[in-house]
Amino acid sequence: MTSLLAFSHVFFAALVFAGPVFALVLLRRPWDIGTAQRLRQVNLINGIAATLVLVIGLLRLFYYGKGSSYYFHNLPFVIKLVLYGVASGLSLVSTLEVKRWGLELQQGQLPVLSERKRGDMRTALGWQLVCVLGMAVCAVLAANGIGSLG
């Protein structure tokens, strides 16, 4: 079970990284209904993957890993949790925007996406990627016991 959870955690973490990358690519394409629908799909998959990363990570933390006493006394792990929270907050910029398009897309209409909102989404997605990369670095450091506070 430990190996399956570890693999699942890494797999879904890779999706969490891929989501903003795909969204950034889509935001550079010409704006049409297909692009808007794909952005909604990418956002949904990214949200599910991020939730699974958290749930699986908590299972590993409390039941299948080194234990909470090890990780909660490790600075890189704490930073990783903070980065997860920041990345989640940044993801709201895109999530709230694409959620707003639901009715229009169901009716076959192209949602309006201003250049300013597109820029805001791209900026938030870029910082989200920085957070995810920082989380990966922190995960490696924490797993190797670097930064233990105790």
Side-chain angles (χ1 to χ4, degrees), residues 131-148:
C131 288
V132 171
L133 290 172
M135 289 166 47
V137 170
C138 287
V140 171
L141 295 174
N144 289 301
I146 298 169
S148 290

Side-chain angles (χ1 to χ4, degrees), residues 75-106:
L75 185 59
F77 179 78
V78 174
I79 293 170
K80 181 175 127 176
L81 290 178
V82 170
L83 289 172
Y84 183 93
V86 172
S88 296
L90 288 166
S91 75
L92 287 175
V93 174
S94 296
T95 299
L96 294 175
E97 182 63 22
V98 300
K99 186 161 180 58
R100 190 180 62 75
W101 303 340
L103 185 59
E104 292 170 289
L105 287 174
Q106 285 177 351

Side-chain angles (χ1 to χ4, degrees), residues 60-71 141-145:
R60 293 180 69 207
L61 172 71
F62 290 111
Y63 301 109
Y64 296 101
K66 296 175 183 172
S68 60
S69 62
Y70 173 84
Y71 284 109
L141 295 174
N144 289 301

Side-chain angles (χ1 to χ4, degrees), residues 28-133:
R28 292 189 182 277
R29 294 182 53 157
W31 189 239
D32 58 26
I33 290 177
T35 301
Q37 289 171 332
R38 282 188 282 288
L39 266 171
R40 277 183 61 100
Q41 291 167 345
V42 165
N43 188 268
L44 175 64
I45 292 167
N46 194 54
I48 291 169
T51 301
L52 287 171
V53 163
L54 180 62
V55 169
I56 293 167
L58 290 173
L59 283 172
R60 293 180 69 207
L61 172 71
F62 290 111
Y63 301 109
Y64 296 101
K66 296 175 183 172
S68 60
S69 62
Y70 173 84
Y71 284 109
F72 285 128
H73 290 92
N74 184 279
L75 185 59
F77 179 78
V78 174
I79 293 170
K80 181 175 127 176
L81 290 178
V82 170
L83 289 172
Y84 183 93
V86 172
S88 296
L90 288 166
S91 75
L92 287 175
V93 174
S94 296
T95 299
L96 294 175
E97 182 63 22
V98 300
K99 186 161 180 58
R100 190 180 62 75
W101 303 340
L103 185 59
E104 292 170 289
L105 287 174
Q106 285 177 351
Q107 296 172 347
Q109 298 173 352
L110 179 64
V112 174
L113 180 63
S114 68
E115 283 303 313
R116 179 185 170 120
K117 181 52 85 171
R118 185 187 297 244
D120 290 347
M121 289 172 70
R122 287 172 56 184
T123 299
L125 288 163
W127 282 110
Q128 194 177 339
L129 282 173
V130 169
C131 288
V132 171
L133 290 172

